[in-house]
């Protein structure tokens, strides 16, 4: 998910594409010697956007090079524009690095730390983000054992196409899984798209916990798990489903989450369909 986070920040960034090669272009600069103490830069939060950072080089006769990281040290972008900016959607502390390229070589300025107080309200404005994650506080989901599983067509919940659905009560589908604690999924937006999934073993109460990141695309109704975790499930009636990390979002409300995996047509004689798992907030 780090790669996904980097990609999203890069898409939000303004002017983060390097427009020239400092090593190739610095031969055209005046023959000056620069000390790190002479570097003059400005790194500020945009007063009209608390998640936007503006970086300005005020040092003459140098080629600027900016790059910036989060608290984990992940590279979030770079630029060699005199003035550039980027948007950090998550609250947290970020570090801005500046290097001045001269004919004599590269001179690095003292890194600048800057703190973003809150997540970007506009970026996470859709209600589904809050329903799924409860923002930075986090939200934990468990299987709703009143109706934990269902089956539906590949186009469900569309109004047309292969949109049939059967979402039975547990009593009508108890053969699919034992009624027990199957584990939990916890999502939060505390500095990243964080997810932790604890999966209970089939025959015991042992649990395995995996942490990683996730991406949620509300336009395509896809939820992707990255870094090791797989979607929480119960039972073992799914040998013909191989993809448990790129799943279909059928519903996200404050009290109900429905995610679906797709049956592999090549591994069953019954054809493809979606197998839905139903979750509720943990008590």
């Amino acid at each position: 998910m780090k790669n996904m986070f980097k990609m999203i920040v890069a898409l939000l960034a303004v002017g983060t594409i390097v427009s020239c090669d400092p090593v190739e272009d610095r031969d055209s600069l005046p023959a000056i010697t620069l000390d790190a103490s002479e570097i003059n830069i400005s790194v500020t939060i945009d007063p009209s956007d608390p998640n936007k950072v503006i970086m300005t080089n005020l040092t003459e006769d140098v080629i600027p090079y900016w790059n910036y990281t989060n608290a984990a040290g992940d590279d979030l972008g770079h630029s060699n524009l005199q003035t550039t900016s980027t948007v950090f959607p998550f609250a947290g502390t970020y570090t801005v690095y500046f290097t001045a390229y001269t004919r004599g070589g590269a001179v690095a300025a003292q890194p600048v730390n800057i703190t973003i107080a809150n997540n970007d309200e506009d970026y996470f404005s859709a209600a589904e983000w809050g329903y799924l994650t409860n923002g930075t506080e986090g939200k934990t989901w468990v299987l709703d054992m009143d109706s934990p599983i269902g089956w539906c067509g590949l186009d469900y919940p569309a109004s047309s196409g292969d949109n049939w659905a059967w979402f039975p009560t547990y009593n009508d589908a108890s053969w699919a899984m034992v009624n027990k604690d199957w584990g939990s999924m916890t999502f939060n937006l505390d500095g990243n798209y964080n997810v932790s999934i604890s999966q209970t073993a089939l025959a015991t109460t042992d649990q395995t916990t995996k942490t990683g990141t996730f991406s949620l695309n509300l336009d395509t109704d896809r939820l992707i798990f990255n870094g090791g975790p797989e979607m929480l499930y119960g039972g073992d009636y799914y040998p013909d489903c191989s993809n448990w990390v790129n799943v279909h979002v059928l519903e996200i409300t404050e009290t109900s989450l429905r995610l679906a995996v797709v049956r592999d047509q090549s591994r069953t004689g019954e054809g493809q369909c979606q197998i839905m798992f139903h979750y509720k907030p943990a008590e």
Side-chain angles (χ1 to χ4, degrees):
M1 175 65 198
K2 290 182 179 178
N3 291 334
M4 180 64 70
F5 176 62
K6 296 174 192 176
M7 180 183 72
I8 291 171
V9 173
L11 291 174
L12 291 170
V14 178
T16 58
I17 298 175
V18 177
S19 59
C20 64
D21 185 336
V23 176
E24 294 179 356
D25 290 359
R26 67 188 180 193
D27 289 341
S28 62
L29 296 172
I32 62 173
T33 300
L34 184 68
D35 185 79
S37 63
E38 300 176 274
I39 294 178
N40 185 10
I41 58 174
S42 170
V43 179
T44 60
I45 295 177
D46 188 335
S48 64
D49 184 347
N51 291 83
K52 183 178 181 180
V53 174
I54 301 173
M55 296 159 277
T56 303
N57 171 45
L58 303 171
T59 313
E60 296 183 354
D61 297 326
V62 302
I63 294 175
Y65 181 78
W66 308 90
N67 69 292
Y68 24 94
T69 66
N70 59 15
D74 299 321
D75 185 3
L76 302 181
H78 48 81
S79 172
N80 70 340
L81 299 178
Q82 297 292 343
T83 297
T84 189
S85 62
T86 192
V87 173
F88 297 119
F90 295 105
T93 299
Y94 299 85
T95 302
V96 176
Y97 299 89
F98 178 82
T99 302
Y101 283 88
T102 72
R103 288 186 66 177
V107 182
Q110 184 71 23
V112 178
N113 292 324
I114 198 157
T115 300
I116 301 298
N118 299 294
N119 286 355
D120 188 338
E121 293 183 1
D122 291 334
Y123 188 76
F124 297 110
S125 61
E128 288 85 350
W129 286 105
Y131 295 155
L132 179 67
T133 69
N134 193 30
T136 59
E137 296 299 318
K139 187 170 183 178
T140 299
W141 298 86
V142 297
L143 278 168
D144 184 345
M145 295 308 296
D146 289 335
S147 57
I149 191 170
W151 293 261
C152 54
L154 294 178
D155 296 324
Y156 183 87
S159 59
S160 61
D162 184 14
N163 63 353
W164 61 272
W166 181 47
F167 297 161
T169 64
Y170 178 78
N171 289 337
D172 291 330
S174 59
W175 44 267
M177 69 178 75
V178 174
N179 188 349
K180 70 174 187 178
D181 174 11
W182 286 103
S184 62
M185 297 189 297
T186 300
F187 300 86
N188 72 63
L189 298 175
D190 187 9
N192 206 342
Y193 305 89
N194 303 303
V195 63
S196 176
I197 299 180
S198 296
Q199 178 69 58
T200 304
L202 180 64
T204 70
T205 59
D206 296 338
Q207 288 189 343
T208 299
T209 300
K210 296 182 179 180
T211 60
T213 56
F214 72 95
S215 61
L216 174 65
N217 189 323
L218 296 175
D219 293 328
T220 60
D221 295 322
R222 305 302 299 183
L223 178 64
I224 300 175
F225 300 96
N226 303 280
E230 294 183 344
M231 189 183 86
L232 176 69
Y233 66 93
D236 66 343
Y237 185 68
Y238 330 107
D240 50 2
C241 297
S242 61
N243 187 347
W244 294 84
V245 296
N246 187 334
V247 303
H248 188 192
V249 179
L250 303 186
E251 178 185 52
I252 302 179
T253 71
E254 189 171 3
T255 58
S256 179
L257 174 64
R258 297 180 190 268
L259 305 177
V261 294
V262 175
R263 175 183 287 165
D264 301 334
Q265 188 173 20
S266 61
R267 296 176 61 185
T268 177
E270 300 179 10
Q272 285 182 295
C273 72
Q274 297 187 85
I275 301 179
M276 181 279 303
F277 292 87
H278 186 205
Y279 310 90
K280 65 179 182 179
E283 296 180 355

